[in-house]
């Protein structure tokens, strides 16, 4: 699958390697994430005293660095998957409560109960999203082999 995008956030999470087009020419393969590509491009632009690494050699070096880092454990990955489901449920509950609030009219007792319920759902949603973000950052910094490994492409 080839993805063409300028969205670095999307690319960092979805691709195994990057290919750069410049002046009508295709560069070599660079390892994802974009920060690795940017660093390697900067190093390539600097004058070298020794033989520069090819893009493939650089890719293998980064892959070795990433593989030495710990990815998410099975339990953490399972928790992340469960959190995605919980977040979707909380968002549906929130939308349902907001709709009920809009339809409540002049019933202030019902409005207060719905507002309290909305606050509780928003707190649970915020807590779930915070934990999901923590896990996503752990996966990103660890170079999650599921998203980063290019061995299945070769």
């Amino acid at each position: 699958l080839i993805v063409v995008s300028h969205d670095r956030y999307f690319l960092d999470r979805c691709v195994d390697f990057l290919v750069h087009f410049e002046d009508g020419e295709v560069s070599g393969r660079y390892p994802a994430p974009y920060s690795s590509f940017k660093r390697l491009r900067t190093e390539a632009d600097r004058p070298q005293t020794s033989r520069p690494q090819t893009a493939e050699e650089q890719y293998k070096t980064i892959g070795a660095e990433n593989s030495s880092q710990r990815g998410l454990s099975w339990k953490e990955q399972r928790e992340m998957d469960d959190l995605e489901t919980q977040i979707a449920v909380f968002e549906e509950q929130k939308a349902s409560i907001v709709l009920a609030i809009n339809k409540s009219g002049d019933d202030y007792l019902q409005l207060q109960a719905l507002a309290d319920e909305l606050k509780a759902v928003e707190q649970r949603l915020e807590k779930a999203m915070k934990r999901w973000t923590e896990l996503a950052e752990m996966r990103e910094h660890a170079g999650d082999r599921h998203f980063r490994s290019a061995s299945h492409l070769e």
Side-chain angles (χ1 to χ4, degrees), residues 13-63:
R13 282 155 183 74
C14 297
V15 302
D16 295 316
F17 61 90
L18 303 168
V19 178
H20 183 248
F21 293 89
E22 188 174 345
D23 298 328
E25 294 184 19
V26 179
S27 70
R29 286 174 29 165
Y30 291 90
Y34 180 80
S35 58
S36 296
F37 162 77
K38 187 175 177 182
R39 180 178 55 82
L40 293 171
R41 289 277 300 165
T42 302
E43 290 173 2
D45 291 342
R46 281 190 232 139
Q48 299 277 331
T49 56
S50 63
R51 179 185 74 81
Q53 285 185 321
T54 65
E56 190 66 29
E57 290 170 334
Q58 293 169 345
Y59 183 74
K60 288 178 182 176
T61 300
I62 297 296

Side-chain angles (χ1 to χ4, degrees), residues 1 3 5 42 47 60-61 66 68 72 76 80 90 98 105 110 122 129 136 143 146:
L1 177 65
V3 176
S5 178
T42 302
K60 288 178 182 176
T61 300
N66 286 344
S68 67
L72 291 180
E76 290 167 334
M80 190 171 188
F90 292 149
V98 168
Q110 181 184 13
E122 286 176 335
M129 290 180 76
H146 178 71

Side-chain angles (χ1 to χ4, degrees), residues 79-139:
E79 178 185 7
M80 190 171 188
D81 294 341
D82 291 343
L83 283 168
E84 290 173 359
T85 302
Q86 289 176 12
I87 288 169
V89 168
F90 292 149
E91 288 175 340
E92 287 176 19
Q93 289 175 347
K94 181 179 174 182
S96 175
I97 294 168
V98 168
L99 186 62
I101 287 173
N102 291 337
K103 291 181 178 182
S104 68
D106 293 339
D107 187 351
Y108 295 108
L109 293 175
Q110 181 184 13
L111 186 60
Q112 183 61 46
L114 289 170
D116 292 342
E117 188 178 347
L118 178 62
K119 184 177 181 179
V121 168
E122 286 176 335
Q123 288 173 342
R124 290 193 299 265
L125 176 62
E126 184 178 343
K127 182 180 176 182
M129 290 180 76
K130 183 178 178 181
R131 179 61 179 153
W132 184 91
T133 302
E134 290 171 358
L135 291 170
E137 287 175 357
M138 285 172 53
R139 181 176 68 189

